[in-house]
Amino acid sequence: MSILVKVRTAYSLGIVNIVRAIVYRLSIKYRLGSATKVAHYVSEGLFFRPNLDLKLGVQSLLANDTWWNQHLYFGWHKKQIVDLPDWCANCFTGVRLSESDKSWWQIADFDTSVGDIKTIWEASRFDWVLCMSQLGINGDLEAFDRLNAWLTDWVDKNPPYYGPNWKCGQEASFRVLHLATAALMVKQIESAEQPLVDLIVAHMKRIKPTLAYAIAQENNHGTSEAAALFIGGSWLESLGHPEGRGWKLLGAQWLENRVRRLFQTDGSFSQHSSNYHRLALDTYSIVEVWRRHQNLPPFTKTMTNRLSAATQWLYQMTDIGSGDVPNVGANDGARLLPLAKSDFRDFRSTVQLAAVLFSNKRAFTGEGDWNLPLAWLSIPIPKETIAEQISQEFDNGGYMLLRKNMAMVLFRYPRFAFRPSQSDILHVDFWLAGSNLLRDGGSYSYNTGDDLLAYFSGTASHNTIQFDNRDQMPRLGRFLFGDWLKTEELIHLQNSGHGVMAGAGYSDSNGAKHHRLVELSASTLKVTDTISGFSDSATLRWRLAPGTWRQKGQSLLCESLELSVTTDIPDAKYALLEGIESRYYMKKERLPVFEIALRYAGTITTVLRF
């Protein structure tokens, strides 16, 4: 790997951020500063008081009981828990972390015997606190008993600051956000029990010393940790804790800073990820709900406007019928505010809540699970609706949405003010009447075998062209690519009488060139690819929705669909193969992939008739 590639990438990441990361790692290694020296004690007793006088007018059937009888990990993995979870074990295999009794900073980032540490962290994100609080509000005293038992056991098995569940400041922040939301719902903010207060203080002391490292990531780590400091700090300030005000002000400062920095004016988010976009938006929604409840001063108009734009971005991506969105970018299975028993891939409740909070409008009409967070949080729903879904550019982030009747195309092109985590340039997602027919591969896991890690984040798991069996950008690390691509020959959205079109291209650091023109009409999707400059091979892939696809020469047929590929390049080879996709974290499934292998420069035309 050329040293120049690393230098250019370091410059793009930002010298200040690199310094922050280096200082953090040195402080941990040599035990400098307070991050490795902080201590705190959580007193014994109830965390939440049972209360039968909490009715909100929300029927019990509307409670999210996924953590009650069937415990749900990452939105899909069901596991029976007879008594209490094993907080330090892989939720799939049951293998326990061997270093679970060590200080968090002494535990290695990756343990091959356990696997992905997120399989341990998942149960400690405390989304079950919301579930049990909902059931308690609806009159189930057993839910409060279980809630207190689980929290007591969690503190016993995860004393501050020992074990893997204290290792990540963002994971600690998720716990604060869920505990605070639960306290709001059960009306125990002003009269919080001492063990709960102690637990919040313990988390504040864990989050603050490593906040600079979270900020250096330029992603949702900073937004989550700032939110936790603001909410936890203002809560503790209201209870008379001497450090509460300082934590609150620090959190407020970075909440404003992160919105200006990470959310672009068109609503695009720094992480180029639909699920991380949801996570960040949910985080700010929790902050705004808390601010209103506590009568705290409003944030700036700039912050509100950016979040309104971010809501519009996610709304435009969301299928109204199912709530699903294109599987764009990295996804670790995180989901805040699971106050509705809707599927992990249903984004409507996030969009509805954010639209009401930041635009004073609703995104979806009628009754549905998308209204439940508003009901649980006692937020009225306005009558006015936000703008309808249309063809739209989000140029700051490198996205174009093409719409015609019931069809939608997401077209991805390079706009990298922040580091890309996937090599997905010129990827095309196609949706028809809520069905994702041409689809992205997803993430699967951040700690898996090198082959799977490279596959899911690499070019091969996207609907684009791969040159010389390599990624479009050189891989520098598990979550980092170098030589970030730049857009060439951009064709902005153009509407005509029969449809809409857009296009873009790039040249990579090896001299390979790819330009793609996308045209959508009422019955066809046409994609024209022009390629040159590569050494030995180019591979065009179309990753298809599972179905009875059958190949007929240069075409594929499936019910009323026909996908055909033609080219002026000689000796092209066509094959219907099998690939992998991951729509939920830690879950992979097979899907058909149409591959066209090419050896020379030229033009390829793909037409999907529907």
Side-chain angles (χ1 to χ4, degrees), residues 593-604:
V593 181
F594 196 30
E595 286 194 3
I596 299 87
L598 309 154
R599 296 173 56 196
Y600 309 105
T603 300
I604 314 104

Side-chain angles (χ1 to χ4, degrees), residues 24-35:
Y24 164 78
R25 297 193 182 281
L26 290 176
S27 69
I28 297 300
K29 182 176 181 179
Y30 296 107
R31 297 201 64 186
L32 304 172
S34 62

Side-chain angles (χ1 to χ4, degrees), residues 318-346:
T318 302
D319 174 64
I320 292 178
S322 66
D324 203 355
V325 301
N327 199 17
V328 174
N331 172 8
D332 73 346
R335 185 186 182 188
L336 288 179
L337 280 183
L339 294 172
K341 196 177 180 179
S342 52
D343 188 80
F344 172 82
R345 295 204 57 84
D346 187 342

Side-chain angles (χ1 to χ4, degrees), residues 449-492:
D450 290 343
D451 289 346
L452 282 176
L453 188 68
Y455 175 81
F456 280 104
S457 61
T459 306
S461 67
H462 298 94
N463 295 322
T464 187
I465 289 180
Q466 182 178 25
F467 294 117
D468 298 321
N469 295 313
R470 57 177 169 76
D471 286 325
Q472 296 161 325
M473 298 172 285
R475 187 183 296 276
L476 300 183
R478 187 180 295 265
F479 307 112
L480 181 63
F481 288 95
D483 276 343
W484 303 352
L485 298 176
K486 298 182 185 301
T487 295
E488 298 175 352
E489 302 177 74
L490 178 65
I491 300 173
H492 293 282

Side-chain angles (χ1 to χ4, degrees), residues 255-267 284 288 298-311 358:
L255 282 169
E256 290 274 7
N257 176 281
R258 293 297 83 187
V259 159
R260 287 181 167 85
R261 172 63 180 159
L262 303 183
F263 283 104
Q264 316 247 356
T265 54
D266 68 358
Y284 277 92
E288 178 60 14
F299 290 100
T300 64
K301 191 66 175 175
T302 297
M303 178 164 157
T304 302
N305 288 341
R306 291 285 174 93
L307 294 171
S308 177
T311 305
F358 305 122

Side-chain angles (χ1 to χ4, degrees), residues 115-137:
D116 196 325
I117 197 171
K118 291 184 184 296
T119 62
I120 293 176
W121 288 346
E122 176 70 1
S124 292
R125 287 179 164 176
F126 281 17
D127 47 353
W128 46 266
V129 171
L130 297 182
C131 162
M132 295 176 191
S133 297
Q134 286 179 308
L135 293 170
I137 289 169

